């Protein structure tokens, strides 16, 4: 079974631009979560989508948004990029069977550099 | 708010010895805990998990211990191998997929 895939793997943008990242979950997984990883900060939870609806949200500004399509694929958008948005953006998927305790499986990430 | 803390940014051990990685949490509502391993340029890989109804879970060389009263969990790797060298993240969740991660501990296993 194919794992979580993310595109693009690397991206360079300039301040003020906007960017869209894509994530395809493991087949059959219905929940997709997004995380930002910066040095020393670990993984910061951005948001989670399930059945095309945002189910959970972390403490990030409104410049960070996302959506999920009917095939469970998800996109994340960051508008008006700032230098501090440079990070590794990770997507994770899980089955979302309704069981409370679930394991998330991560993609390789998209490395975003804002100049 | 750092609800999950890994206070040791790095750990170095000799091959064959035990590696102990520690993690503390503050939210008493957390009921599911996981450890992930991450190599450079790759996403985190799930390693092992433990539910709050247990205090120990073992999978091969990896054992996770949970002390709910101390809000502390640890990952033991025995014996440590050079291929275990990676960054290890502790994670916890209180409901479904609202997962919080620690900052990570870089483990180096020396041959």
């Amino acid at each position: 079974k194919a794992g979580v895939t993310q595109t693009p793997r690397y991206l360079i943008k300039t301040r003020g631009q906007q960017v869209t990242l894509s994530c395809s979950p493991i087949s059959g997984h219905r929940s997709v979560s997004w995380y930002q990883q910066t040095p020393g900060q670990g993984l910061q939870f951005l948001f989670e989508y399930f059945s095309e609806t945002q189910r959970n949200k972390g403490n990030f500004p409104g410049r960070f948004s996302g959506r999920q399509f009917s095939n469970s694929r998800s996109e994340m958008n960051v508008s008006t990029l700032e230098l501090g948005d440079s990070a590794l953006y990770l997507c994770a998927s899980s089955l979302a069977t309704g069981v409370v305790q679930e394991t998330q499986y991560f993609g390789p990430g998209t490395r975003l550099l804002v100049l | 708010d750092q609800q999950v803390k890994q206070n040791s940014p790095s750990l170095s051990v000799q091959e064959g010895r035990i590696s102990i990685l520690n993690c503390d949490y503050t939210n008493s509502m957390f009921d599911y805990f996981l450890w992930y391993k991450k190599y450079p340029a790759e996403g985190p890989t799930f390693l092992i998990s433990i539910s709050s109804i247990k205090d120990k879970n073992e999978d091969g060389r990896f054992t996770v211990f949970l002390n709910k009263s101390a809000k502390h969990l640890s990952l033991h790797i025995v014996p440590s191998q050079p291929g275990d060298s990676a960054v290890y993240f502790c994670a916890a969740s209180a409901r479904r997929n609202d997962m919080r991660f620690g900052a990570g501990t870089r483990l180096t296993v020396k041959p």
Side-chain angles (χ1 to χ4, degrees):
Chain A
K1 189 184 266 190
V4 178
T5 58
Q6 292 186 246
T7 56
R9 292 294 310 276
Y10 304 93
L11 205 49
I12 300 175
K13 291 284 188 179
T14 56
R15 278 182 299 173
Q17 286 187 309
Q18 68 96 24
V19 66
T20 299
L21 312 181
S22 181
C23 172
S24 291
I26 292 172
S27 178
H29 283 196
R30 299 187 299 165
S31 167
V32 174
S33 298
W34 288 89
Y35 295 85
Q36 181 195 66
Q37 185 191 6
T38 53
Q41 293 294 315
L43 279 72
Q44 304 291 318
F45 174 72
L46 280 154
F47 29 65
E48 183 224 357
Y49 284 86
F50 173 76
S51 290
E52 303 178 61
T53 301
Q54 188 180 87
R55 188 162 69 170
N56 292 309
K57 188 177 189 304
N59 296 324
F60 276 80
R63 299 186 297 107
F64 292 82
S65 63
R67 59 177 176 167
Q68 186 181 35
F69 302 94
S70 58
N71 61 358
S72 294
R73 190 177 71 85
S74 177
E75 288 182 347
M76 190 192 92
N77 185 77
V78 187
S79 62
T80 320
L81 284 166
E82 300 177 359
L83 294 179
D85 296 332
S86 295
L88 179 67
Y89 289 90
L90 292 157
C91 162
S93 74
S94 64
L95 278 168
T97 59
V99 174
V100 175
Q101 299 167 344
E102 292 194 342
T103 299
Q104 296 184 8
Y105 296 89
F106 283 83
T110 294
R111 173 77 62 185
L112 172 65
L113 176 62
V114 182
L115 301 176
Chain B
D1 60 341
Q2 276 297 96
Q3 298 184 51
V4 178
K5 296 179 182 178
Q6 293 176 258
N7 292 320
S8 298
S10 63
L11 174 68
S12 181
V13 300
Q14 208 65 37
E15 180 179 6
R17 307 295 286 266
I18 184 172
S19 295
I20 301 176
L21 295 97
N22 294 303
C23 177
D24 297 296
Y25 61 94
T26 57
N27 189 341
S28 58
M29 298 300 290
F30 287 146
D31 60 3
Y32 189 50
F33 305 87
L34 309 91
W35 285 94
Y36 285 85
K37 180 168 77 170
K38 187 178 184 303
Y39 293 116
E42 294 182 12
T45 303
F46 170 70
L47 202 54
I48 192 169
S49 63
I50 187 168
S51 165
S52 59
I53 62 173
K54 293 184 174 182
D55 54 19
K56 176 182 174 182
N57 189 27
E58 199 170 347
D59 183 2
R61 296 186 297 113
F62 303 92
T63 303
V64 56
F65 295 92
L66 176 63
N67 183 333
K68 289 186 291 293
S69 60
K71 295 191 179 64
H72 177 84
L73 67 156
S74 60
L75 174 69
H76 292 209
I77 306 174
V78 184
S80 301
Q81 299 173 353
D84 296 330
S85 297
V87 177
Y88 289 78
F89 289 99
C90 164
S93 68
R95 54 185 173 90
R96 292 192 284 208
N97 289 325
D98 190 0
M99 196 173 295
R100 305 298 177 185
F101 283 79
T105 296
R106 180 178 300 280
L107 172 65
T108 302
V109 180
K110 298 179 178 178

